[in-house]
Amino acid sequence: MTNLRTIITGAALAVAVSSSMNITAANPRPDALSSAPAPFDYTVDRFADIEVLRYQVPGFESLPLRQKMLIYYLTEAAIAGRDMLWDQNNIYNLPIRELLESVYTSEATDRSGDDWKAFETYLKQVWFGNGIHHHYSMDKFTPGFSREWFTEQVAKIPEPIGMFDEGKPSFDLLADVIFDPEVMSKRVNQAEGADLIATSANNLYETGLTQADVEAYYNAIKDTTVANPISYGLNTRVARDPQSGRIVEQPYRLGGLYSPAISRIVDNLRAAADYADTPAQREVISKLIQYYATGNLADFDEYSILWVDDTDSRVDFINGFIESYGDPLGMTGAYESIVNFKDLEASGRTETISANAQWFEDHSPVDPRFRKDKVKGVTAKVITAAILAGDAYPATPIGINLPNANWIRAAHGSKSVTIENITRAYDEASHGNGFNEEFVPDAATRKLLDKYLFITDNLHTDLHECLGHGSGRLLPGVDPDALKAHGSTLEEARADLFALYYLADPKLVELGLLDSPEAYKASYYKYLLNGLMTQLMRIEPGKDVEEAHMRNRKLIAEWVLEKGKPAKVVELVNRKGKTYVKINDYEALRGLFGELLAEVQRIRSEGDYEAGRDLVEKYGVKVDPKLHREVLDRYSHLDIAPYRGFVNPVYTPVTDADGRITDITIDYTEDYPSQMLRYSRDYSTLNK
Ligand code: ZN
């Protein structure tokens, strides 16, 4: 299972034509098949290597009041956990945030010079990283303002700041943490051979603990004999008991660590439970409340099972300590919450594809011996996010696949969702960033991309996930791991080729999934452009392609380029010293995709390791250094932020004379600093 769009969303998804206007009304798209730009301004802020966007929540306003109330309380629960993540990320994040925000809002602060400008950028970075480290590289941010300037501004703050109360870290200490590059330089250190606990600056383990301490502790308590192990350490901080000197876990729960934040989450979950979509969902919520009260990880597993089994509720949410990328040992979950509701129209798309799974299998261009007699499509749900919080904010995933516990996945399955209002925001915000003007030579192709790339990209993902991976079969006796190290590249190629081949099939128009037999060309063009050229921007000069998805795309694109050479199906053309992809015959290109699909399926079905290895090594790995340099150079002239994230909409209850809630309104106008300052003002639970 892989999330294709996690990798292709970003600059590669850029489309032409800028047409954003400053209208903030939430007009949901009347026609899901068209991707003409909506009158919505997606861009909110731009600083350092970051672009902040906003997203629409189409369909919220037409939900019944009960579901709006449910969403409202769940969003309140989501934001209530914010301070936990900040504190998990670093022990000084909360006092530093207070210090920075005090300078930022103080009337006495000098806003005239370069120090102020650099300070503003730094604070925006800290907000984005939920602390003093970069959300992706994990490196500490480097302030561009001087310690002297900062010290002066802090001294001028007229209001006393609570953080200088007794028992709180001193200004000098916080200034060292901000300015000294040696202090807490990396949030999560994964370097081979280092003490991963001692050298990581997160607050999941008390300062002074070593990796050996922590590993010895867990080795002693872990029961590896049971079939359904709890997720050890998921909701705890590890510390040394000052009295006994023994290593202990401090659970995040009511009455334990982070109690004020959790208490506020629980209050809002209780309020939400009254408006639950189904009795099953009410049970999900009450089990989550129980888990927050006990901190018992067996309760969390029971909650996860109830959650994954509840497929009938339209509104859904996650709230808890979920992904463990912030822990060098991969144990403790970062606080995260996403509230969402099912996009019925777009989910209809994946349901249609799955319902026709057998037709696609029976008509695929592979040898009938390698086809499945009976194939079952996987239905992936398409959702609309209503709030992003904790570790999913401001940088957010575009898909969710949970729960993480392997034994629960094996016994109860998992929920796999695509967050389409987020992918749409990424797509729309790329309009006019100059990418297509630079890399797509003719206006007709740019128009095609503008019109059909969004829908065909989504369909590509649907076909890849719902059908591609599940199609085909191994011949009896063939080892599923026969392709060894090249297995995942070839598996991704198989799923991509299945999607590419069928994107051009009239069946998609017949099923109502596309409104034009030309639409697929947008996807074909972008796929080849990415595979032959633009994905190289992610590779450092001198390096080969290593990642499986990237190898797969390069393999497919280079193979059709070479095989189509005699008939000039696809060409790389040079104009004024720049290289461009030119597709001369789309139908023949589809034929080539079909041919390669048949071959890759044969390799997989027969376990033909040598043929698989040769394909990958010949087409998927080696980078042409000259073309690579050219792509990097052309890319560097475009002002495209490598990282993007979001502000949330604002939900406000409307009450009648008796104080009863009669509606929940949604507003998109809040800017980035205002939202961050409001969250700090209204949802500070731990920095008191
Ligand atoms: Zn895949």
Side-chain angles (χ1 to χ4, degrees):
M1 188 65 82
T2 152
N3 206 324
L4 182 73
R5 270 175 288 168
T6 308
I7 295 145
I8 61 173
T9 300
L13 239 173
V15 272
V17 184
S18 169
S19 62
S20 43
M21 292 181 280
N22 253 315
I23 299 170
T24 48
N27 295 324
R29 278 296 166 74
D31 177 7
L33 295 182
S34 142
S35 58
F40 185 85
D41 186 5
Y42 286 90
T43 305
V44 178
D45 215 329
R46 176 79 169 84
F47 51 88
D49 56 355
I50 302 290
E51 186 179 21
V52 180
L53 308 174
R54 55 170 68 87
Y55 59 93
Q56 298 190 76
V57 189
F60 177 79
E61 282 156 320
S62 50
L63 291 174
L65 180 59
R66 181 191 59 75
Q67 280 178 324
K68 286 183 181 174
M69 301 280 280
L70 172 61
I71 289 172
Y72 174 71
Y73 286 116
L74 292 174
T75 62
E76 286 293 302
I79 307 168
R82 179 180 186 239
D83 278 5
M84 293 195 286
L85 179 72
W86 282 72
D87 192 70
Q88 285 185 302
N89 284 346
N90 184 270
I91 196 165
Y92 300 118
N93 275 339
L94 289 172
I96 286 176
R97 187 182 79 195
E98 188 184 2
L99 186 58
L100 297 173
E101 289 178 351
S102 300
V103 169
Y104 185 76
T105 54
S106 162
E107 281 172 22
T109 295
D110 173 12
R111 292 179 171 77
S112 63
D114 289 344
D115 279 308
W116 163 255
K117 276 208 190 81
F119 171 77
E120 224 182 348
T121 298
Y122 177 77
L123 176 54
K124 287 180 175 183
Q125 288 178 291
V126 170
W127 280 328
F128 199 91
N130 292 295
I132 56 176
H133 300 90
H134 194 279
H135 72 287
Y136 194 83
S137 74
M138 307 284 175
D139 292 328
K140 197 167 77 167
F141 297 120
T142 307
F145 52 98
S146 72
R147 186 167 177 155
E148 292 67 37
W149 178 87
F150 185 61
T151 308
E152 243 174 73
Q153 309 315 312
V154 170
K156 285 193 294 184
I157 297 171
E159 298 285 318
I161 314 178
M163 48 164 292
F164 293 132
D165 293 349
E166 269 202 41
K168 297 283 177 72
S170 69
F171 173 75
D172 285 340
L173 172 59
L174 296 182
D176 285 347
V177 175
I178 294 172
F179 290 98
D180 186 341
E182 302 299 315
V183 177
M184 300 191 147
S185 56
K186 195 124 187 152
R187 173 151 72 83
V188 183
N189 186 16
Q190 302 272 31
E192 193 70 32
D195 183 321
L196 303 184
I197 298 296
T199 59
S200 292
N202 64 55
N203 184 29
L204 308 174
Y205 302 91
E206 190 178 53
T207 306
L209 290 177
T210 66
Q211 187 174 349
D213 291 335
V214 174
E215 283 173 350
Y217 167 78
Y218 278 117
N219 286 339
I221 64 160
K222 266 188 183 175
D223 184 353
T224 50
T225 60
V226 293
N228 52 352
I230 55 165
S231 304
Y232 286 95
L234 188 70
N235 65 339
T236 60
R237 177 175 187 263
V238 179
R240 194 181 289 281
D241 182 76
Q243 262 99 55
S244 67
R246 292 229 300 264
I247 294 196
V248 292
E249 287 179 79
Q250 304 171 324
Y252 309 144
R253 62 169 166 81
L254 286 181
L257 209 53
Y258 300 154
S259 189
I262 291 171
S263 158
R264 187 144 164 202
I265 291 175
V266 165
D267 287 348
N268 282 293
L269 289 176
R270 284 213 177 91
D274 291 341
Y275 303 96
D277 265 348
T278 57
Q281 185 168 59
R282 195 163 300 133
E283 250 187 275
V284 170
I285 296 173
S286 74
K287 185 57 81 175
L288 180 59
I289 292 171
Q290 184 185 327
Y291 160 63
Y292 272 136
T294 64
N296 183 344
L297 286 167
D299 288 340
F300 181 67
D301 286 342
E302 283 178 33
Y303 151 79
S304 297
I305 291 166
L306 290 172
W307 176 78
V308 81
D309 285 345
D310 174 24
T311 51
D312 292 334
S313 299
R314 183 174 180 199
V315 174
D316 203 356
F317 73 104
I318 54 168
N319 184 306
F321 307 98
I322 312 287
E323 303 290 355
S324 54
Y325 304 110
D327 178 354
L329 300 184
M331 302 182 73
T332 305
Y335 173 75
E336 176 180 353
S337 183
I338 296 178
V339 181
N340 65 80
F341 54 97
K342 189 172 174 182
D343 179 337
L344 300 176
E345 198 177 338
S347 295
R349 196 179 69 212
T350 56
E351 281 154 19
T352 300
I353 288 171
S354 285
N356 289 277
Q358 194 65 50
W359 185 92
F360 287 102
E361 184 74 3
D362 293 346
H363 292 79
S364 98
V366 314
D367 188 322
R369 289 185 302 138
F370 307 143
R371 290 186 199 143
K372 266 200 183 110
D373 298 334
K374 267 208 157 42
V375 62
K376 198 177 172 305
V378 181
T379 303
K381 188 164 75 157
V382 179
I383 61 168
T384 303
I387 208 91
L388 308 167
D391 206 26
Y393 169 88
T396 192
I398 59 169
I400 310 171
N401 194 329
L402 290 172
N404 281 331
N406 283 322
W407 68 268
I408 300 180
R409 295 171 77 92
H412 299 268
S414 63
K415 280 189 197 171
S416 174
V417 303
T418 302
I419 314 175
E420 198 152 302
N421 60 330
I422 296 298
T423 60
R424 181 174 289 281
Y426 279 136
D427 177 69
E428 298 274 357
S430 301
H431 286 207
N433 66 6
F435 179 91
N436 280 8
E437 286 71 8
E438 179 59 44
F439 289 104
V440 183
D442 65 294
T445 304
R446 290 201 296 268
K447 211 172 150 197
L448 196 69
L449 293 174
D450 189 39
K451 194 159 181 206
Y452 289 116
L453 187 56
F454 182 71
I455 179 63
T456 54
D457 249 354
N458 283 334
L459 273 171
H460 181 113
T461 305
D462 298 338
L463 289 163
H464 176 114
E465 299 288 357
C466 301
L467 303 181
H469 282 305
S471 74
R473 66 187 184 111
L474 302 183
L475 290 184
V478 170
D479 175 3
D481 296 323
L483 305 178
K484 297 179 201 161
H486 303 298
S488 49
T489 296
L490 292 163
E491 179 55 22
E492 290 311 319
R494 203 171 68 84
D496 262 3
L497 286 162
F498 195 96
L500 287 165
Y501 179 78
Y502 277 116
L503 270 172
D505 201 289
K507 185 77 177 175
L508 296 194
V509 179
E510 189 191 302
L511 290 173
L513 298 169
L514 287 173
D515 66 0
S516 160
E518 305 287 297
Y520 77 92
K521 294 179 180 176
S523 165
Y524 276 25
Y525 189 85
K526 200 220 59 184
Y527 195 92
L528 291 194
L529 173 62
N530 194 36
L532 293 170
M533 292 178 57
T534 51
Q535 72 167 354
L536 295 177
M537 71 184 183
R538 287 154 195 262
I539 306 278
E540 284 175 47
K543 295 232 163 111
D544 286 336
V545 178
E546 286 175 7
E547 199 274 330
H549 292 83
M550 291 181 68
R551 281 190 169 182
N552 135 53
R553 283 183 224 122
K554 183 163 155 56
L555 184 168
I556 292 173
E558 298 279 2
W559 190 91
V560 297
L561 177 68
E562 187 189 287
K563 299 295 166 188
K565 211 161 243 160
K568 291 199 168 171
V569 178
V570 183
E571 295 175 276
L572 285 180
V573 297
N574 195 298
R575 286 186 201 162
K576 295 181 186 158
K578 288 181 176 181
T579 310
Y580 297 95
V581 173
K582 189 158 175 275
I583 298 178
N584 298 310
D585 189 341
Y586 279 92
E587 272 177 56
L589 178 56
R590 187 194 181 205
L592 290 172
F593 286 142
E595 251 179 68
L596 185 55
L597 172 58
E599 172 61 3
V600 173
Q601 182 62 55
R602 182 198 67 75
I603 289 170
R604 168 129 177 94
S605 292
E606 295 179 349
D608 187 345
Y609 172 78
E610 282 74 24
R613 178 201 58 204
D614 292 350
L615 260 189
V616 175
E617 285 183 352
K618 181 161 181 204
Y619 300 100
V621 181
K622 285 278 167 238
V623 177
D624 171 359
K626 195 162 153 271
L627 183 61
H628 191 191
R629 258 196 314 277
E630 183 195 320
V631 169
L632 290 176
D633 180 59
R634 287 164 71 181
Y635 208 79
S636 70
H637 292 102
L638 303 172
D639 182 33
I640 297 177
Y643 303 99
R644 301 199 280 189
F646 292 90
V647 291
N648 284 312
V650 183
Y651 298 91
T652 311
V654 181
T655 49
D656 64 13
D658 302 325
R660 272 187 319 227
I661 297 177
T662 56
D663 196 10
I664 307 284
T665 61
I666 183 166
D667 179 86
Y668 299 102
T669 55
E670 193 166 44
D671 67 28
Y672 177 63
S674 305
Q675 180 153 102
M676 290 298 178
L677 292 170
R678 182 172 62 86
Y679 283 0
S680 295
R681 188 190 68 220
D682 296 347
Y683 301 90
S684 269
T685 50
L686 302 179
N687 199 29
K688 298 286 179 213

